[in-house]
Every structure is written in structure tokens, then in C-alpha cells.
Amino acid sequence: MNVIKLTYLSLIAALTVQLSANAQSAEKVAVAKKGTLTEIQLKRWSHLDLDKDSIPGMSVDKVYSELLKGKKGVPVIVGIVDSGVDIEHEDLKSVIWTNKKEIAGNGIDDDKNGYIDDIHGWNFLGNITKENLEYERIINNKSLVDEATYLEAKGLNDKKIEEAAQTKFQMELAIKGTTKADDALVKFLGKPTYTAEDLDAIDSKDPEINQSKGIMKQMLSYGLSVADLKKEIQKELDGFEKVQSGENLKTNYRKVLGDNPDDIKDTKYGDNNVMGPDKEEILHGTHVAGIVAQVRNNNIGGDGIANNVQILTVRAVPDGDEYDKDIALGIRYAVDNGAKVINGSFGKSFSPHKQWVYDAIKYAESKDVLIVHAAGNDAKDIDTENNYPNDSDDKKTEFADNMITIGALNYEYGTNVVADFSNYGKLNVDVFAPGVKIYASTPNNTYQFLQGTSMASPNVAGVAALIRSYYPTLSAKQVKHILMDSGTAITTKVTVGGDEKDSRQFSDLSKSGRIVNAYNAMVMAEKMAKKPNSKKVKG
């Protein structure tokens, strides 16, 4: 599932807070931050240093300025299992993986891996962009699961039908409120589009203008333009209408692909177009790839975390829930083509063929490949709630040690350091990393701020790639534990789920109780790499 997608709950909550507020700024004051972030700082806050900048970044710039001068790493292939990547993007095209065993455009499977002309990766979705949610597919095919899971899926759909009318009404209020506030600010500022900086500069005694300012600052904090925000709200409205009418259970998007999604041996499907049929639909994957690998210091867009990587694209995540089969085959494809790190910024609550994905994770482990996975954006405890894929079927005992699950941080250091949408779990989230307002590449040579654990995961994948580039003797297992053990510990209480009444020890929200720190990780990696038989050293 596209986990950056704005949920109606977050939009309604944001709008409700602003509409009920007086003419107050919506911006919260961070405990340790030295003033408001500049635009330049915000665009690269995940690269900054907590001690130096009072921002909970990963100290990436410090790595390059203090540890890597005069050092040369080896190229690392990073698999991006996502919605697709704009391989023509100005800030990515030079770091796109090319399959040297394949001759482009000859219609022959030159490397005999089962995928014809897979020059830059593989597209397991063909021309599909939209998809059903997994619970909808389960209702339509009861034989996929046991009776209890089927009843859970049906119960969820029944609940959504009951809630649809009220939620649709609230969403309509949200879009009306957003439109009204936008119209007022456009008139006040005298221009059709504006930025958060424009809003900060407003000095007015007009209550309507100040309320509109508060609403739109909150809306713009999601990283999308006003026009894109309205599109997202409209998508949610359309979704509620489909649930009310039952249309959500009638559409079978998969039939155009021609495969059997319930047969893992049916692998002859998809194509080599890793950008898919519509560049607008690969915003998510392009952004994820950019976080990892945008060319550093080229004065274009943002900077990637890693400086010596090749992006291998696996298009397997639609707008909707991904199929287990596509994910399982996608992981295996990335592994077989040399990926040493795989990023998975997707997730769902039902997984009928979870064993296929488990087996793929184990296969990656056997080939020494690290999988970095987003924890999810439902503000829930995944020690008790289902969240797939994972590396523990019972949520207690890991069946593999090559998968690391990432929660999201806000750029405000203090009680609000955990992103209000981030999932958490003392056992099933491993570590936290920057995931709010992350600036990176989007299709057609554009750049945007986006947020989600979808963004936190590639931040960590980038650090993992750095370690594997400069210390290639270290195993995937060792890299995972370096990322966890070298992080900066937070020993204070923080707000969970954006609920100021829910304050918990940060150490209770993940296994490590830490936030990723690239500088510390590289220092630890160097020490570990110098040990004799480093590959045999327990992570």
C-alpha cells in the first residue's frame, strides 16, 4: 500500500484543531531546537547533527566531512521495491542500475533469468496503477484464508460502510474549509500560489486571515501543494463513495495482467517498464529512491544519503495493497541481481500468502542482503496489531535477522520527536529515523517534501548502503545491529500518536530505543571491520 497517502483522519484532525483555535500559530516550539529551521536546513534536516544543530538528524554531513575524506567505497546496489522510479530524472539517471548481462531491446532473455530485457529492473504490475485493498480481495476470494481471517476482513468492510457516510460528511467539510482558507489567503497575498514562508510573513489582525493561515500551514506541512491536497481529499471522498455503493468489491484490477496471483510458480508476467504507464503514479518510488541516492553536492534538488550506489527498481507497489506474490518475487529478483540492501516502503494488515514473503526474506538472508522496511503510518502498536511484511510470524520470535523495521521521527527534538502517524512497538520496530518533511526527487525533474515511515525507511537504507560500501566485509546481520546499537538513545518521555495525553518513554517504542546516527554507525562499523573474521562476528 502507498503508505505516504494522506489519511482522512489526519486531515480531519488537522482541520478540526485549526478551526477550533483562535488566531494562534499552529507551529509548536521544539524543546532543544535553536530557533526555526531555515528552508535550507529543512531540505536536508535528516543529514544534520543533533549535537551541532539541535535537530534529530542522522549526522550524515558529519560522516562526509570527518570520516570519508580520502576513502573510496565500493558500489552498492540498492533495490527499491515500490511504485516505480523515474529513471530519467535529472538527479537520479546517473545512479540507475543497468543490467550488463542483458542487451536492450532485442526481445531476448539474454541472462536467462526469466525476465526479458530487464535493463533497469522489472515491473511486476504491468500497466496497473490502482489496486484493491487486501481485505477486499479476501472477501472476494474466501478460499485464500481461514474462516477467522475472512470474518475479520468482512467485519472491517462492514465497519467502513457504517462509517462512510459520517466520514464522507467530515471530508466534505475538510475540503470546504481548506478551499475557503485558501481563497482568503490568495486574495490577501495577491497571488494564486504561496509557500509556508509566505504564511510566516503574514502580520495581520484580521481573525479570518489568521485562522486561514493556521489551517493552511497545517495543510502545507504535509509536503503537498494546495492543489495536490485537494486531490488527495477528493481521492478519499471517491473511496468512501465506492465503499458505500459496494463498488470497492467489484473491480478486479489484476485481470489485465493475465497471471494467477495465487500461484507463486506463475512468474511469466509484467514487463521491463519500471516507470509504469503514468509518471504521476510513481511519485512515491521516485521520492524513496531520491532519499537514498540523489547525487550529492551537484546543486540540483536534494542530496542522497549514500554516494556510491546504484538504484535497482522493482515496480510492485500499486495505489492500494500490494500482492504478496509480487513482493516475494520482487525481493528475489533484487537479490538475484546483486542488491545488498533492499528498501520496502509499503505495508498492509492482511497477508494471505505471507509465507511466500517470509521465504523471500529468508532467501535474502541466505544471500547476505539487508531488508529495510517502513513500520507503517497508523499510529498503532505493531506488537499487537498486524503489519505485513514482518520478520516474526508470532510478533515475538524473529525467523530471520536481516530485516530492520523503521519508525518515523519529526524534525522537532523534544516531546514531539516521534511523528504523530508513526507505528511503534517494543519488539517489532527496531529503530527510528527522520520521516517528516523529507525533501527529495519526484517525477519529471521535480522535488517535494513528503512524509511517512516510507521516508524514514530509505533514510536508513541509505546509511546501510554507506556502511556496505565502505566496509563490505560486514554482513547484513552486522549492519542491522550496527544501525540499532550505534544510534542515539532518547531517555525521555515523548508524545505518541499526536495525542498529548499519551506520553511514554521513547525506549518503549522500539527494540533499540534509539534514533539512527550515521556517524556513530560508521565509527562502529570501522571497529567491527577491523576485527579478525569480521563476517563471523555476531551482530
Side-chain angles (χ1 to χ4, degrees):
M1 185 178 182
N2 186 337
V3 291
I4 192 174
K5 184 178 180 182
L6 295 174
T7 65
Y8 62 84
L9 289 177
S10 63
L11 283 165
I12 291 169
L15 188 61
T16 301
V17 168
Q18 290 304 328
L19 289 174
S20 63
N22 293 322
Q24 302 285 333
S25 170
E27 191 169 313
K28 297 176 182 177
V29 179
V31 173
K33 187 169 57 182
K34 299 173 183 175
T36 303
L37 271 68
T38 65
E39 184 178 358
I40 292 175
Q41 286 178 319
L42 192 58
K43 283 183 175 179
R44 56 181 306 102
W45 76 267
S46 63
H47 298 243
L48 301 182
D49 181 72
L50 180 59
D51 291 335
K52 179 182 177 182
D53 306 298
S54 298
I55 298 166
M58 302 189 300
S59 304
V60 176
D61 290 345
K62 187 177 178 181
V63 170
Y64 285 98
S65 64
E66 297 184 17
L67 299 181
L68 297 184
K69 288 183 178 180
K71 292 185 178 182
K72 187 176 182 179
V74 301
V76 173
I77 298 173
V78 178
I80 303 295
V81 181
D82 214 293
S83 62
V85 173
D86 182 356
I87 61 175
E88 300 169 344
H89 194 286
E90 61 182 2
D91 214 9
L92 291 176
K93 60 186 179 182
S94 66
V95 297
I96 298 299
W97 171 79
T98 297
N99 185 356
K100 296 179 180 179
K101 298 177 182 178
E102 198 77 16
I103 300 172
N106 69 352
I108 299 172
D109 182 13
D110 299 289
D111 59 5
K112 295 180 173 56
N113 68 350
Y115 302 97
I116 297 172
D117 289 340
D118 56 324
I119 304 300
H120 300 299
W122 194 251
N123 171 19
F124 286 94
L125 301 179
N127 288 330
I128 293 171
T129 57
K130 310 295 183 185
E131 251 303 344
N132 298 103
L133 299 177
E134 193 65 76
Y135 80 86
E136 295 168 339
R137 297 196 288 253
I138 288 172
I139 293 172
N140 285 329
N141 190 355
K142 185 177 179 180
S143 64
L144 288 175
V145 297
D146 57 33
E147 183 69 14
T149 303
Y150 169 77
L151 291 175
E152 183 181 356
K154 187 176 183 303
L156 178 59
N157 190 62
D158 292 342
K159 181 179 179 181
K160 286 182 176 292
I161 292 173
E162 291 177 4
E163 294 175 344
Q166 178 61 28
T167 308
K168 181 182 174 184
F169 174 73
Q170 291 173 315
M171 287 299 291
E172 288 169 344
L173 286 180
I175 199 166
K176 286 179 182 178
T178 302
T179 300
K180 182 180 179 181
D182 180 45
D183 290 344
L185 292 170
V186 166
K187 183 177 180 180
F188 180 84
L189 293 168
K191 53 184 179 180
T193 60
Y194 49 84
T195 65
E197 288 72 27
D198 292 329
L199 297 182
D200 286 334
I202 291 176
D203 183 13
S204 173
K205 295 181 179 180
D206 185 336
E208 181 184 0
I209 294 300
N210 283 308
Q211 186 180 60
S212 297
K213 172 183 173 180
I215 291 171
M216 296 317 298
K217 280 198 69 174
Q218 183 66 44
M219 293 296 101
L220 289 174
S221 73
Y222 288 104
L224 300 177
S225 67
V226 174
D228 286 339
L229 279 165
K230 290 179 180 178
K231 286 180 182 178
E232 289 297 330
I233 298 174
Q234 190 59 52
K235 280 184 182 179
E236 295 287 351
L237 282 169
D238 293 343
F240 295 132
E241 289 177 358
K242 288 182 178 180
V243 169
Q244 283 181 300
S245 67
E247 190 66 28
N248 63 316
L249 300 179
K250 296 177 183 177
T251 305
N252 181 0
Y253 298 95
R254 189 74 177 197
K255 65 181 180 181
V256 302
L257 203 52
D259 77 312
N260 179 359
D262 301 313
D263 181 2
I264 192 66
K265 294 181 180 180
D266 180 6
T267 62
K268 306 296 183 183
Y269 67 100
D271 57 48
N272 68 345
N273 180 12
V274 296
M275 293 192 288
D278 184 353
K279 274 194 175 183
E280 287 190 7
E281 297 294 337
I282 58 172
L283 178 145
H284 189 271
T286 302
H287 198 268
V288 166
I291 293 170
V292 175
Q294 289 172 129
V295 179
R296 292 184 62 84
N297 304 316
N298 65 349
N299 296 317
I300 299 175
D303 283 345
I305 302 296
N307 65 344
N308 200 358
V309 298
Q310 299 170 12
I311 294 298
L312 184 160
T313 301
V314 176
R315 185 169 181 267
V317 184
D319 182 6
D321 280 350
E322 62 278 359
Y323 274 87
D324 294 327
K325 175 183 169 181
D326 298 341
I327 298 303
L329 293 178
I331 290 172
R332 288 177 180 271
Y333 176 88
V335 170
D336 290 341
N337 284 281
K340 299 308 291 182
V341 178
I342 296 174
N343 186 80
S345 289
F346 52 82
K348 57 186 182 179
S349 298
F350 294 86
S351 184
H353 297 298
K354 60 185 178 181
Q355 191 60 50
W356 294 348
V357 183
Y358 292 167
D359 290 343
I361 293 170
K362 293 175 186 176
Y363 179 70
E365 182 181 41
S366 74
K367 300 295 184 179
D368 191 35
V369 179
L370 179 70
I371 298 175
V372 186
H373 184 244
N377 299 341
D378 300 309
K380 68 183 183 182
D381 184 351
I382 60 173
D383 285 350
T384 57
E385 302 281 347
N386 288 334
N387 186 64
Y388 299 101
N390 53 39
D391 56 3
S392 175
D393 194 34
D394 62 1
K395 302 184 182 68
K396 296 178 182 178
T397 306
E398 293 183 352
F399 57 75
D401 202 15
N402 67 318
M403 185 171 178
I404 183 168
T405 301
I406 315 300
L409 294 173
N410 185 15
Y411 53 83
E412 294 180 349
Y413 185 61
T415 56
N416 297 309
V417 72
V418 174
D420 57 12
F421 53 77
S422 182
N423 285 350
Y424 54 91
K426 178 69 173 174
L427 296 177
N428 290 286
V429 173
D430 292 304
V431 69
F432 278 75
V436 172
K437 295 204 80 168
I438 305 299
Y439 189 73
S441 51
T442 46
N444 298 312
N445 298 332
T446 60
Y447 304 85
Q448 288 186 32
F449 288 103
L450 297 177
Q451 65 183 28
T453 56
S454 279
M455 283 61 252
S457 182
N459 267 315
V460 179
V463 178
L466 262 182
I467 297 172
R468 305 215 78 174
S469 175
Y470 287 89
Y471 305 101
T473 61
L474 297 179
S475 68
K477 177 181 177 180
Q478 287 175 305
V479 173
K480 169 184 175 177
H481 289 280
I482 286 171
L483 291 166
M484 294 171 63
D485 298 341
S486 67
T488 302
I490 295 181
T491 58
T492 59
K493 285 189 173 183
V494 296
T495 299
V496 177
D499 181 359
E500 294 183 358
K501 295 180 181 179
D502 189 352
S503 179
R504 310 186 199 183
Q505 289 292 334
F506 183 82
S507 58
D508 291 334
L509 304 183
S510 70
K511 186 177 292 186
S512 68
R514 298 174 184 267
I515 65 177
V516 169
N517 185 290
Y519 183 89
N520 293 348
M522 293 293 278
V523 170
M524 184 179 287
E526 182 165 6
K527 291 179 180 178
M528 189 173 289
K530 287 180 178 179
K531 293 180 180 180
N533 301 316
S534 64
K535 278 237 180 188
K536 296 181 181 179
V537 177
K538 185 178 180 181

